[in-house]
């Protein structure tokens, strides 16, 4: 899973 | 962005504002766990350090600043301005039993062994259990003010909506983050008994009181 992608969530 | 995440963020924002206004208007933090609020301030601080390293969107930046600002303002109101109304005797949950295991787990299980990523992981794990001192305090006092139950409902609803957001993102974007999902499930499950009491009591106009 691309955890960087998650960083757009609050 | 999808409807579940947007309503989740707005529910989270509503919870934070409800609590801040309740304390400010009533000039009292009776029934509020200061420990949980400190944990939330810690969650936002460790999660939003990327404010200094990356810009995602105006919405993202504004919400992060509002969350951090309100969290510290709430802690300030509880421990400084209205400290006389702080019920320390009932706010007795041992938060070190949360912070230490969460700290250890975030070092062991993360996506990337970098400082920012470990701090983000720490904040995700910590957020899933940060409400425990508050729920523990309610179980000790045996009751909660109605406005406090609305705060808790919005707070619990936000992560439940995020679960739907992750289902949406997996289905439409093929994206998922196991750490956030597992912690989000744990966080939402911890609210289940409160949700039951909220729906069966508070929504029927009764006061939320636990069998002491």
């Amino acid at each position: 899973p691309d955890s960087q992608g998650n960083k757009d969530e609050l | 962005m999808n409807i579940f995440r947007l309503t989740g963020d707005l529910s989270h924002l509503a919870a934070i504002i409800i609590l801040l206004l309740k304390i400010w208007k009533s000039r009292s933090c009776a029934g509020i766990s200061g420990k949980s609020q400190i944990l939330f301030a810690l969650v936002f601080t460790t999660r939003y350090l990327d404010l200094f390293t990356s810009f995602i969107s105006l919405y993202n930046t504004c919400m992060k600043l509002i969350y951090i600002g309100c969290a510290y303002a709430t802690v300030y109101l509880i421990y400084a301005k209205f400290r006389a109304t702080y019920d320390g005797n009932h706010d007795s949950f041992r938060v070190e039993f949360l912070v230490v295991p969460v700290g250890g787990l975030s070092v062991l299980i993360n996506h990337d062994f970098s400082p920012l990523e470990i701090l983000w992981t720490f904040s995700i794990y910590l957020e899933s259990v940060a409400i425990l001192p508050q729920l523990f305090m309610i179980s000790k006092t045996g009751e909660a003010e109605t406005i406090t139950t609305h705060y808790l409902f919005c707070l619990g609803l936000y992560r439940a909506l995020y679960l739907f957001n992750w289902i949406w993102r997996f289905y439409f974007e093929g994206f998922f983050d196991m750490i956030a999902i597992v912690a989000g499930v744990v966080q939402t499950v911890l609210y289940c008994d409160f949700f039951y009491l909220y729906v069966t009591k508070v929504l029927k106009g009764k006061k939320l009181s636990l069998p002491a």
Side-chain angles (χ1 to χ4, degrees):
Chain A
D2 162 25
S3 79
Q4 293 317 315
N6 195 15
K7 297 308 179 291
D8 65 333
E9 293 182 343
L10 289 176
Chain B
M1 177 59 82
N2 60 66
I3 185 65
F4 296 113
R5 197 164 115 208
L6 183 61
T7 45
D9 289 341
L10 295 178
S11 179
H12 194 187
L13 181 63
I16 290 171
I17 302 295
I18 286 171
L19 181 65
L20 198 52
L21 285 183
K22 173 248 186 275
I23 297 175
W24 181 253
K25 294 261 187 218
S26 69
R27 304 182 69 74
S28 162
C29 57
I32 301 299
S33 164
K35 293 185 174 183
S36 276
Q37 297 312 313
I38 289 176
L39 293 180
F40 284 124
L42 185 58
V43 164
F44 294 143
T45 306
T46 51
R47 187 176 305 180
Y48 298 156
L49 292 174
D50 62 353
L51 275 169
F52 303 111
T53 59
S54 61
F55 176 80
I56 291 160
S57 70
L58 198 59
Y59 170 81
N60 190 276
T61 302
C62 289
M63 291 292 268
K64 287 177 177 177
L65 291 172
I66 292 170
Y67 285 2
I68 287 179
C70 291
Y72 280 100
T74 302
V75 169
Y76 166 75
L77 292 183
I78 292 172
Y79 286 101
K81 195 157 180 58
F82 303 124
R83 96 173 277 113
T85 65
Y86 171 56
D87 181 7
N89 295 326
H90 287 117
D91 190 13
S92 54
F93 195 95
R94 304 286 299 278
V95 291
E96 56 272 27
F97 290 167
L98 298 178
V99 176
V100 174
V102 158
L105 194 64
S106 60
V107 171
L108 291 175
I109 303 177
N110 51 61
H111 290 312
D112 176 42
F113 202 79
S114 67
L116 263 183
E117 189 68 25
I118 288 178
L119 283 171
W120 176 84
T121 308
F122 171 78
S123 91
I124 290 288
Y125 293 154
L126 184 60
E127 187 189 6
S128 62
V129 292
I131 200 61
L132 282 177
Q134 179 66 67
L135 297 177
F136 178 78
M137 183 175 191
I138 291 176
S139 70
K140 283 198 77 173
T141 57
E143 62 173 3
E145 287 180 46
T146 300
I147 188 69
T148 306
T149 62
H150 296 320
Y151 156 71
L152 283 170
F153 178 72
C154 291
L155 198 58
L157 182 65
Y158 127 74
R159 213 61 179 175
L161 288 167
Y162 255 67
L163 295 179
F164 291 105
N165 154 61
W166 288 319
I167 293 169
W168 174 287
R169 291 191 76 179
F170 178 71
Y171 186 74
F172 289 106
E173 301 169 26
F175 165 86
F176 75 100
D177 182 331
M178 194 51 88
I179 285 179
I181 291 169
V182 172
V185 169
V186 168
Q187 181 169 337
T188 305
V189 164
L190 290 178
Y191 281 86
C192 283
D193 62 333
F194 166 77
F195 281 146
Y196 173 77
L197 288 169
Y198 184 80
V199 170
T200 57
K201 288 196 172 177
V202 179
L203 291 190
K204 291 190 169 58
K206 297 177 195 154
K207 185 159 172 54
L208 188 135
S209 56
L210 301 175

